[in-house]
Amino acid sequence: MASFTLGKYLPYNSLIHKMDPRAKIIVMMLLLCAIFIPAGFIGYGILVVIVTSIVLVSKLNLKFVVNSMKPMMFMLVFLLIINILVIKTGPILFSLFSLDIYLDAIMQTFYIAIRLLLMIMITTCLTATTKPLELTLGIEDLLKPLKVVKVPAHEIAMMISIALRFIPTLIEETERIMKAQASRGVDLQEGKIKEKIGGILSLIVPLFVSSFQRAEELAFAMEARGYSPGEIRTRYKQLHMKYGDYLAIVFGVLLNIVMLTLSMVF
Amino acid sequence: MSIEFKKIDYTYSVNTPFQFVALKQIDLNIEMNKVTAIIGATGSGKSTLVQHLNGLILPTSGQLIVNDFVINANVKVRNLKSLRKNVGLVFQFPEYQLFEESIIKDIAFGPKNFGVPEDEANKIAKASLKLVGLDESYLEKSPLDLSGGQKRRVAIAGILAMEPDVLVLDEPTAGLDPQGAKQMMELFKKLNTVHNKTVLLVTHDMEHVYNYCDNVVVMKKGEVFLNSSVNTFFENTTYLDELNILAPNIIRLKNMLKNHNIDVSGCDDIHSICDKIVKELK
Ligand SMILES: Nc1ncnc2c1ncn2[C@@H]1O[C@H](COP(=O)(O)OP(=O)(O)OP(=O)(O)O)[C@@H](O)[C@H]1O
Ligand SMILES: [Mg+2]
């Protein structure tokens, strides 16, 4: 649990950390788009290299990638089985107990796994290198044009940033409640299935209760300090796009073009 | 039967930017069948220390012995559940662990997990609730509708119901009213004297340390600064000054009287001191 880094800001000093949050969000969107362009082996090869280098440039530990894949293993195995049963195209790879395994089934599963992995890497990269406050400002600025059509940009940004801010808190809370219940004999590792279900219930209920309490307290605290969402306010921190930020966005667009071309060629 | 910490280190979030060494080379022997207080400034590692006792936190290095249980750093521990039956731990804010729809169910949750049959567990739950000073009318209420102090009591009852040999309490009286705090401390003392339980409690209240505890362990910046009997600790003013601790009222009174050349040694409560003063002044 402690190694769970999703949504946690990691205070390193890197090029990516210094980027403008708006540019980072745009580049992330572009990268996510690129992932869903079916550009075959070469395309995914390029993406894996690019995303891995971004992670490395951010000075993040690559171990988290492996860790974040673990919980999804079950799902992927399940998917693989379904794909093997359903997809009957492409050359036959081999036969298993009179069941033909087609190449496409394996490839489909592989692509989905790679996509998930890349998605996790990209989003983690964004949240780990951007302070929640900066992220909020970035989202707010990017949503601003939508104000014309009555999209509450500031409120959405605030909600997202609060949600992000509380992910680590919730994890800590979960750990604490787990410990408290473990002290009362809940055994999520070695116990029987029935006991485990009861044990999980003993985690979820207190977690819900404390989350609601926390949300209520936060709302009161914000109100007590005069927060009112519709108000126009000035900013202490101003965002400035730099040369490198524009470059990154251009790069993201180019990447998408390359991917599209690749997908059309193959 | 013993509780021994041998050269225990504990580091939070190893290998991350948040790495933090919370315990350093802890060598500690806790006397059995006594009440031991653990004191120290906030952040000195008290909670981290006590969570080792039932294996919630496993040492980064060193060895821990609790009764016949031996925990070595970096060796997988089996059957922690039986250790947890022996050592009951009440958390710093235990009210967050309540979850059942009724108080009696919540208190019986612990014993049931350790294999006590349902009706037996309910019986123990009723008795435990009484011990912590809440009457039977609470049994069927939802634990979530209680006040903070009442929740605290229910949570403590939940641990008492497990009938552990060693009872560990992390600031059990924080946030209770003075009367309630006194009741709780008396309860812990009684569990020690009548039921022979070993009690460890983290506290910031020197009056409680002086009145209810036998031994005291002082933590300072993740290290054991001192482990001695309560009497030696309070007699020695250099420790208190160094730790910036205000001695209990009665000790301060005695020291003041000593400075006025009134000998009150051997008097341990306010009445005998009064008698002595009256005698001296005559
Ligand atoms: N989950 C955690 N991750 C990282 N550091 C932690 C964690 N929990 C505690 N610490 C750090 O370890 C140190 C000791 O914490 P601990 O909770 O043991 O203190 P304490 O003596 O119980 O304090 P208090 O009197 O406030 O309860 C603190 O400096 C704290 O910042
Ligand atoms: Mg503490």
Side-chain angles (χ1 to χ4, degrees):
Chain A
M1 265 295 205
S3 56
F4 197 92
T5 41
L6 191 67
K8 210 173 193 174
Y9 173 68
L10 298 174
Y12 293 116
N13 187 10
S14 78
L15 267 176
I16 312 280
H17 281 74
K18 285 188 204 125
M19 267 175 79
D20 188 290
R22 290 169 296 187
K24 263 192 267 189
I25 296 170
I26 293 175
V27 174
M28 182 194 80
M29 300 276 201
L30 288 170
L31 283 174
L32 289 179
C33 278
I35 289 177
F36 286 96
I37 299 171
F41 252 131
I42 304 171
Y44 283 114
I46 295 174
L47 279 176
V48 168
V49 171
I50 289 174
V51 174
T52 313
S53 22
I54 295 176
V55 171
L56 289 178
V57 170
S58 331
K59 299 189 183 164
L60 302 178
N61 194 337
L62 266 179
K63 236 193 239 161
F64 83 86
V65 180
V66 184
N67 287 341
S68 57
M69 279 310 272
K70 269 185 207 152
M72 290 190 307
M73 264 317 167
F74 174 75
M75 202 184 91
L76 287 176
V77 170
F78 190 67
L79 203 74
L80 180 67
I81 294 169
I82 292 195
N83 276 345
I84 285 174
L85 292 178
V86 173
I87 298 178
K88 305 272 179 206
T89 54
I92 295 176
L93 213 52
F94 55 92
S95 291
L96 199 72
F97 307 119
S98 74
L99 178 72
D100 293 337
I101 310 245
Y102 291 86
L103 181 65
D104 281 11
I106 307 280
M107 290 310 280
Q108 279 301 328
T109 321
F110 178 71
Y111 283 153
I112 289 174
I114 289 283
R115 277 181 200 154
L116 276 173
L117 190 65
L118 287 173
M119 269 165 69
I120 290 175
M121 283 166 85
I122 292 167
T123 42
T124 310
C125 213
L126 178 73
T127 50
T129 63
T130 320
K131 289 192 188 112
L133 181 70
E134 286 187 348
L135 206 56
T136 323
L137 294 181
I139 295 169
E140 192 176 342
D141 276 5
L142 290 175
L143 288 177
K144 228 175 223 162
L146 295 180
K147 265 201 175 145
V148 189
V149 283
K150 291 248 159 63
V151 172
H154 171 76
E155 284 85 337
I156 292 179
M158 182 56 103
M159 269 158 54
I160 295 175
S161 76
I162 289 176
L164 286 177
R165 159 67 186 76
F166 276 95
I167 291 175
T169 312
L170 276 180
I171 292 169
E172 267 162 36
E173 190 90 3
T174 315
E175 267 175 4
R176 214 179 46 174
I177 295 170
M178 266 168 110
K179 279 184 184 170
Q181 306 300 32
S183 299
R184 296 209 274 169
V186 171
D187 192 346
L188 291 178
Q189 253 120 50
E190 294 172 22
K192 292 189 214 92
I193 286 285
K194 196 177 154 234
E195 286 172 15
K196 278 187 190 171
I197 292 173
I200 286 170
L201 205 68
S202 78
L203 293 184
I204 290 176
V205 175
L207 204 56
F208 258 92
V209 172
S210 81
S211 306
F212 278 111
Q213 265 171 5
R214 223 180 259 283
E216 203 179 0
E217 276 163 19
L218 183 69
F220 284 145
M222 284 167 79
E223 247 168 43
R225 290 204 253 165
Y227 177 80
S228 132
E231 228 67 46
I232 295 168
R233 51 174 68 74
T234 53
R235 274 184 188 174
Y236 170 65
K237 197 177 167 84
Q238 301 290 333
L239 299 179
H240 297 290
M241 293 281 270
K242 287 188 291 289
Y243 179 67
D245 295 318
Y246 290 112
L247 207 64
I249 296 175
V250 171
F251 175 76
V253 174
L254 279 179
L255 185 68
N256 273 281
I257 294 172
V258 171
M259 288 296 150
L260 275 177
T261 337
L262 276 175
S263 77
M264 275 186 275
V265 173
F266 294 102
Chain B
M1 290 300 212
S2 68
I3 297 179
E4 285 172 54
F5 287 75
K6 290 184 179 166
K7 295 219 179 311
I8 285 190
D9 285 316
Y10 185 76
T11 310
Y12 279 109
S13 318
V14 183
N15 294 334
T16 72
F18 307 103
Q19 179 159 331
F20 183 85
V21 181
L23 293 182
K24 290 169 220 152
Q25 294 291 304
I26 302 289
D27 264 313
L28 190 62
N29 253 314
I30 306 284
E31 226 178 317
M32 301 305 282
N33 306 325
K34 289 270 165 46
V35 183
T36 304
I38 297 168
I39 62 173
T42 49
S44 54
K46 304 180 296 294
S47 299
T48 313
L49 182 80
V50 295
Q51 284 175 43
H52 277 82
L53 289 167
N54 71 346
L56 289 177
I57 286 183
L58 300 174
T60 315
S61 69
Q63 186 187 48
L64 174 70
I65 301 174
V66 180
N67 293 344
D68 32 357
F69 230 91
V70 181
I71 295 177
N72 281 304
N74 306 319
V75 177
K76 191 156 167 58
V77 204
R78 296 209 169 274
N79 211 3
L80 276 174
K81 204 167 162 177
S82 74
L83 172 65
R84 288 178 187 152
K85 161 120 193 56
N86 273 306
V87 182
L89 181 90
V90 179
F91 266 78
Q92 194 159 0
F93 298 102
E95 39 275 31
Y96 292 111
Q97 73 193 34
L98 306 175
F99 74 101
E100 288 278 15
E101 67 240 45
S102 70
I103 288 176
I104 184 163
K105 271 192 177 172
D106 207 282
I107 299 178
F109 179 68
K112 270 194 283 187
N113 278 329
F114 291 113
V116 178
E118 176 119 25
D119 44 345
E120 180 77 4
N122 284 343
K123 221 187 277 168
I124 302 175
K126 276 183 199 159
S128 307
L129 190 70
K130 207 166 145 200
L131 272 182
V132 296
L134 294 176
D135 59 62
E136 299 230 330
S137 67
Y138 286 94
L139 283 174
E140 296 301 327
K141 279 191 187 163
S142 160
L144 304 179
D145 293 341
L146 299 175
S147 79
Q150 289 166 335
K151 277 187 194 164
R152 176 73 53 93
R153 287 164 193 250
V154 171
I156 292 174
I159 301 294
L160 293 183
M162 288 160 32
E163 305 185 320
D165 299 327
V166 180
L167 192 61
V168 185
L169 305 125
D170 197 346
E171 299 191 30
T173 59
L176 290 184
D177 58 285
Q179 190 56 36
K182 190 160 171 266
Q183 276 174 12
M184 285 317 222
M185 291 307 296
E186 273 160 9
L187 168 65
F188 303 143
K189 184 80 198 169
K190 194 174 110 195
L191 287 169
N192 168 248
T193 48
V194 180
H195 301 275
N196 253 330
K197 294 198 189 299
T198 305
V199 179
L200 270 100
L201 52 96
V202 177
T203 179
H204 290 291
D205 191 327
M206 292 306 134
E207 302 289 338
H208 289 169
V209 176
Y210 181 73
N211 289 322
Y212 303 102
C213 303
D214 305 305
N215 294 326
V216 60
V217 173
V218 185
M219 296 293 295
K220 195 176 175 187
K221 296 198 176 129
E223 289 176 275
V224 175
F225 176 78
L226 181 77
N227 178 12
S228 79
S229 79
V230 166
N231 288 332
T232 342
F233 176 62
F234 285 121
E235 271 162 21
N236 199 332
T237 43
T238 51
Y239 286 144
L240 298 178
D241 292 342
E242 187 173 347
L243 292 163
N244 226 340
I245 289 175
L246 200 58
N249 290 332
I250 192 131
I251 300 270
R252 281 191 295 153
L253 177 64
K254 274 164 91 171
N255 287 341
M256 275 148 106
L257 290 170
K258 209 188 271 167
N259 290 342
H260 287 86
N261 289 322
I262 300 173
D263 179 33
V264 286
S265 55
C267 307
D268 282 332
D269 63 282
I270 193 77
H271 299 293
S272 56
I273 290 179
C274 283
D275 291 346
K276 198 80 168 237
I277 296 173
V278 172
K279 245 183 249 165
E280 291 273 338
L281 291 183
K282 260 180 195 163

